[in-house]
Amino acid sequence: MINIIVNALIYIFPAYVANSSAVLFGGGKPIDLGKKVGGKRILGDGKTFRGFIFGALFGSLTGLGINIIKPGYFPVFLGLSLSIGGLIGDIIASFLKRRVGVKRGRPVPILDQIDFVIGAVMLGSLVEPPSGKALIFILLATPLIHLTANFLGYLLNFKENPW
Ligand code: CTP
Ligand code: MG
């Protein structure tokens, strides 16, 4: 049991780092360049190039770090694919939020917490899929971990909203 949890957390950790790095280091030019479709922003000001690049960078470095600490355990490109997948999942969720009229930064519970994990596992699985049990743990535990992390980020003034 403990083993499954530890393996699950190690597997998804680069995606968590990618996601939080985007929050910490994001800002500046939005990926949608401010463009709208149907009177609504394509993605909104919350998805920026800087967030994506730093997210991909630090998430990949996290994967490489795990690879160094536990040689042979973590494929070299797993961190990169988890990170890019996570960042894309987050972007797709913003796209969907804008289409149904949810303003940037307004919460959509569950989707906001799970969007990057779904993207991360989908792209990460191309390199190495998690075990079925690890996946279940990741999906169940992430909303809780994410909410806690976001609340801390809000208290520390890194985030505008506590979600
Ligand atoms: N961020 C970024 N670039 C990204 C992802 C996130 O710059 N690719 C930063 C933005 O400053 C964003 C913050 O991280 O405001 C929090 O991300 P998130 O909660 O996903 O975005 P929201 O601002 O809540 O916007 P949305 O409603 O589109 O989810
Ligand atoms: Mg949000």
Side-chain angles (χ1 to χ4, degrees):
M1 182 67 182
I2 292 288
N3 238 325
I4 294 166
I5 293 178
V6 171
N7 282 326
L9 287 176
I10 295 177
Y11 181 89
I12 203 64
F13 191 54
Y16 286 177
V17 171
N19 198 258
S20 354
S21 302
V23 181
L24 290 177
F25 304 108
K29 202 173 224 183
I31 293 171
D32 68 5
L33 303 172
K35 291 199 170 66
K36 296 181 177 182
V37 283
K40 291 164 185 153
R41 285 287 293 274
I42 299 176
L43 301 175
D45 285 331
K47 304 297 116 143
T48 68
F49 286 106
R50 221 164 65 205
F52 193 94
I53 289 164
F54 279 100
L57 181 69
F58 287 120
S60 307
L61 287 176
T62 302
L64 292 180
I66 299 171
N67 193 267
I68 290 169
I69 297 169
K70 289 185 77 143
Y73 172 82
F74 211 75
V76 186
F77 288 111
L78 184 53
L80 177 73
S81 59
L82 287 165
S83 304
I84 302 268
L87 292 158
I88 292 175
D90 180 50
I91 286 173
I92 292 173
S94 290
F95 177 79
L96 296 174
K97 284 169 79 174
R98 298 303 90 82
R99 300 288 72 70
V100 298
V102 179
K103 291 244 161 11
R104 175 255 165 128
R106 298 306 301 160
V108 174
I110 312 295
L111 178 71
D112 283 336
Q113 285 81 51
I114 215 77
D115 53 12
F116 75 100
V117 174
I118 293 175
V121 171
M122 283 176 72
L123 212 64
S125 292
L126 297 179
V127 177
E128 187 173 298
S131 74
K133 284 176 182 158
L135 179 59
I136 291 169
F137 177 81
I138 288 168
L139 291 176
L140 292 179
T142 295
L144 216 69
I145 297 170
H146 196 224
L147 278 177
T148 314
N150 280 356
F151 189 64
L152 281 176
Y154 171 74
L155 289 181
L156 296 170
N157 271 321
F158 291 127
K159 265 187 77 75
E160 289 169 25
N161 306 305
W163 47 78

